[in-house]
Amino acid sequence: MKILVPVKRVVDYNVKVRVKSDGTGVDIANVKMSMNPFDEIAVEEAVRLKEAGIATEVVAVSAGVAACQETLRAALAIGADRAILIETSADEADNLQPLAVAKLLKALADKEQPQLVICGKQAIDDDANQVGQMLAALANWPQATFASKVVVAGDKATVTREVDGGLETLELALPAVISTDLRLNEPRYATLPNIMKAKKKPLDTVKPADLGVDVAPRLTTVKVAEPAKRQAGVMVADVAQLVEKLKNEAKVI
Amino acid sequence: MAILVIAEHDNAQLKAATRNAVTAAAKIGGDIHVLVAGAGCAAVADQAAKLAGVAQVKLADAAHYADQTAENLAALIVDVAKAGGYSHVLAPATANGKNALPRVAALLDVAQISDIVGVEGADTFVRPIYAGNALATVKSADAVKVITVRTTAFDAAADGGAASVAPVAAAADFGKSKLVGREITKSERPELTAAKVIVSGGRGVGNGDNYKALLEPLADKLGAALGASRAAVDAGFVPNDYQVGQTGKIVAPELYIAVGISGAIQHLAGMKDSKVIVAINKDPEAPIFQVADYGLVADLFEAVPQLTASL
């Protein structure tokens, strides 16, 4: 069974981004970039399925500028077998929206015929939480979002999902799309020998046009602004003062 | 212009999140119709019909909507949206809404706008990006706007309406997925996303027994819901549906009490719109103090019981 794992290059999750003063976006020049944390979990899960003898090949795919190759190499170092970069211009990459990515992945899935696509539940930059669901819709496949446990047996996947109020378990007929939640697994660190080996693994590049996909954006960003700042708070000396303030000043208890 | 709001419910009760989505729909302007899809859910449709501002309720009652799988729900919504010529399809940004709506958008070949916190016009919306560290205003060029609504950013629509309930035909059963189990965390407390007061614990609490012993009595006194940081969930102190943050629940209560939580970006993304934030932490440098209205640098094992006793 072949597994396709989409990965995204995003601003590292520890970086506190700043909004550009002209309101056109956030300043990501010279900021550390990394693989989206949910995608690391997706790669890890696919590699574990391979180690368990269920998957035969894990293909990592990323869409964006040439620098996304680094993200793909990181996936290869975790254990993916080969990688595909859907290379766009910098301008296209800035405006690459979930629907376009889902269409690119659908076109790739038609070619590669994976039995399973495992993606992250959301990217921590646009916080959209859409691509997996959109891909499942376009491919007419079932989906299991926010997965915290995945069991694949035969032509079925049994997936436990994190939902409001608890957990639910779905049984899906393959091929299917699964999106990962944080508790699915603990991604491994890539070891130095594996990072070296990853440099020799195949990485193909295609263009959106090769896949016959129009990546024109549907949404225009009018402006990006800083959220309202909270007023500076006060430090209280003890519990008695805290209770007094909550009762008389904030009037919340 | 007509707007379709997808009701969130458990086949017996309309969930409060639906009310916030109706308010967002009212800000866009136009006739508001609510779609209730489920099995044996006529009571929910009656509750939806009472919401102020709702012009019509559409009820799709069929066995294959009992579990509200994304596949079946999305196919139905697409049928209803096309037949009704709706300009907007809205759902609350809950686990269900986030699951189904992108599927609807892709089937309609339109973008989806996630987690809106503001309405600037019929085609222009405000939504947080980068864990809430920036607010993007986006304009849609699509004929149908498919939107999920951040519930904490809009007031709940009150009762007072008297809409009619009209049945709609079910779409075909997708059949490639089925629900095989559900484990719902039982709680007597208010629902986290709707609570007026939240008491939340982090890694500093130490373990699950401490969490119970310290935070439950305080929450009881305040009639509060209990929350947690990711660290507390990962360490197994509490189930994962307690998690507040970018990847957990987004809350905005009147009072949020953060106990033993350092205040990582991802946690702040889930609670920084709370009206009053109290932080109790022994580390004076903890980032949580930068957003706290009232900060107390103290050992939580002493401060929390004192606080509970003095209420």
Side-chain angles (χ1 to χ4, degrees), chain A residues 5-8 35-44 119-120 180:
Chain A
V5 185
V7 296
K8 185 175 186 184
M35 190 190 301
N36 180 43
F38 292 101
D39 303 348
E40 286 186 351
I41 296 170
V43 177
E44 174 69 32
C119 58
T180 62

Side-chain angles (χ1 to χ4, degrees), chain B residues 175-207:
Chain B
K176 289 185 214 168
S177 68
K178 66 170 195 247
L179 185 85
V180 292
R182 193 172 263 166
E183 281 174 59
I184 299 301
T185 308
K186 287 198 178 66
S187 175
E188 304 289 310
R189 298 179 189 286
E191 207 178 317
L192 193 52
T193 50
K196 286 207 157 44
V197 181
I198 294 174
V199 174
S200 206
R203 198 196 302 273
V205 173
N207 59 47

Side-chain angles (χ1 to χ4, degrees), chain B residues 138-222:
Chain B
V138 296
K139 192 176 161 93
S140 168
D142 287 319
V144 184
K145 282 78 174 164
V146 177
I147 296 167
T148 59
V149 176
R150 177 163 295 188
T151 54
T152 55
F154 297 90
D155 294 334
D159 282 342
S164 58
V165 177
V168 293
D173 187 357
F174 186 77
K176 289 185 214 168
S177 68
K178 66 170 195 247
L179 185 85
V180 292
R182 193 172 263 166
E183 281 174 59
I184 299 301
T185 308
K186 287 198 178 66
S187 175
E188 304 289 310
R189 298 179 189 286
E191 207 178 317
L192 193 52
T193 50
K196 286 207 157 44
V197 181
I198 294 174
V199 174
S200 206
R203 198 196 302 273
V205 173
N207 59 47
D209 291 338
N210 288 348
Y211 183 97
K212 272 204 182 75
L214 285 168
L215 301 192
E216 283 188 357
L218 177 58
D220 287 342
K221 279 270 176 89
L222 292 165

Side-chain angles (χ1 to χ4, degrees), chain B residues 64-89:
Chain B
H64 60 282
Y65 298 134
D67 302 324
Q68 297 176 45
T69 57
E71 295 84 355
N72 281 330
L73 204 51
L76 172 72
I77 296 169
V78 168
D79 281 358
V80 173
K82 280 184 176 161
Y86 292 97
S87 58
H88 297 73
V89 177

